[in-house]
Amino acid sequence: MKNIIFHVLYNDKTEIRKKDGSLGTAQDLHIGLRISAAGDLAESGEITAKKIEIEGEGSENKSAGESPGH
């Protein structure tokens, strides 16, 4: 499957969960982060997320303890 880009919108009703299952905030989201989003898909192609689950870093790994040893 090819990569598909979606624009994901969130608001104060969106539940954000960190990789460990704990509650997160919008401050935990950043460019390059791999997420799973569930919500409503608009005709414009934007998803208004009801839930965002943080899966981990994308091409850059910034999480301590998760990168392979150098």
Side-chain angles (χ1 to χ4, degrees), residues 9-24:
L9 308 176
Y10 59 90
N11 56 35
D12 59 351
K13 295 179 183 178
T14 304
E15 177 184 331
I16 299 173
R17 291 277 174 183
K18 296 180 183 180
K19 192 173 182 177
D20 65 4
S22 64
L23 273 177

Side-chain angles (χ1 to χ4, degrees), residues 37-56:
D40 299 319
L41 179 61
E43 288 183 26
S44 64
E46 294 177 332
I47 298 172
T48 301
K50 293 182 179 179
K51 184 173 186 177
I52 295 175
E53 294 180 358
I54 298 171
E55 295 182 349

Side-chain angles (χ1 to χ4, degrees), residues 1 4-6 26 29 35 47 50 54 58 62 64 66-67:
M1 182 174 175
I4 300 172
I5 296 174
F6 290 98
L29 303 174
I35 65 161
I47 298 172
K50 293 182 179 179
I54 298 171
K62 297 178 184 174
E66 293 185 13
S67 61

